[in-house]
């Protein structure tokens, strides 16, 4: 699942990362890895923070541009670009938005249509939690609440 998420992010990296002169060629794979880990970290924080219902709503309903899950991921990744790669804050935020927003929108779209089983919300959360809990019943309850 994590490799597939990495590939989803990489497929959205185009001008934001792969063709960006601010990101050295030797660092591009690491930057994509940091973007992927930012997505995983935000999902994990949401899950561990008891915000499962909010996460279910973000994955089920429209209004992607006002999605707090995406906003949190954009900020987390921008901070990594600034701290680890020395990219100025405003530029790091621009790069982060250019990569994270389409990648997260695609992830949510894939989660909704169910064709990619690794991207269903229950599978994502089960993998993030270390496969300790089958998230299907919990998510069904959160969706109904």
């Amino acid at each position: 699942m994590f490799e597939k998420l990495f590939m989803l992010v990489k497929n959205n990296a185009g001008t934001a990362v792969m063709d960006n002169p601010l990101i050295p060629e030797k660092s591009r794979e690491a930057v994509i890895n940091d973007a992927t880990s930012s997505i995983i970290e935000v999902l994990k924080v949401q899950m561990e923070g008891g915000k499962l219902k909010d996460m279910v709503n973000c994955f089920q309903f429209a209004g992607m541009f006002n999605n707090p899950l995406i906003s949190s991921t954009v900020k987390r990744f921008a901070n990594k670009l600034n701290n680890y790669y020395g990219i100025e804050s405003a530029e790091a935020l621009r790069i982060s938005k250019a990569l994270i927003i389409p990648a997260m929108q695609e992830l949510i779209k894939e989660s909704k249509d169910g064709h990619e089983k690794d991207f269903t919300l229950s599978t994502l959360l089960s993998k993030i939690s270390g496969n300790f809990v089958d998230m299907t019943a919990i998510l069904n309850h959160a969706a109904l609440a």
Side-chain angles (χ1 to χ4, degrees):
M1 188 276 303
F2 296 115
E3 296 96 20
K4 288 183 181 180
L5 182 57
F6 176 85
M7 291 308 298
L8 182 145
V9 173
K10 187 174 184 174
N11 290 339
N12 284 280
T15 56
V17 175
M18 302 309 280
D19 302 326
N20 191 328
L22 293 175
I23 301 173
E25 188 173 343
K26 65 181 178 167
S27 298
R28 291 179 182 157
E29 290 285 319
V31 167
I32 293 168
N33 193 52
D34 282 332
T36 304
S37 69
S38 294
I39 293 169
I40 294 166
E41 291 163 4
V42 167
L43 291 175
K44 188 172 185 166
V45 165
Q46 288 283 316
M47 187 172 65
E48 291 174 350
K51 297 182 180 180
L52 198 56
K53 183 171 175 35
D54 293 341
M55 193 175 352
V56 169
N57 288 338
C58 290
F59 271 78
Q60 287 184 338
F61 300 109
M64 302 310 304
F65 295 104
N66 295 322
N67 187 323
L69 203 59
I70 293 175
S71 298
S72 294
T73 308
V74 165
K75 289 175 190 167
R76 183 175 292 259
F77 180 51
N79 285 335
K80 288 181 181 184
L81 290 172
N82 180 255
N83 293 332
Y84 302 145
Y85 302 97
I87 297 174
E88 187 264 320
S89 295
E91 189 63 26
L93 188 59
R94 187 192 66 72
I95 293 167
S96 183
K97 285 179 180 178
L99 176 55
I100 296 296
I101 291 172
M104 289 288 291
Q105 287 176 331
E106 186 174 338
L107 174 63
I108 291 169
K109 179 179 171 256
E110 292 281 335
S111 175
K112 284 181 184 179
D113 73 21
H115 288 109
E116 180 57 65
K117 298 297 181 202
D118 282 338
F119 292 151
T120 63
L121 189 56
S122 62
T123 301
L124 275 171
L125 297 180
S126 291
K127 296 285 185 184
I128 289 169
S129 71
N131 288 320
F132 293 121
V133 179
D134 178 8
M135 298 301 291
T136 306
I138 295 168
L139 288 172
N140 288 339
H141 179 72
L144 296 174

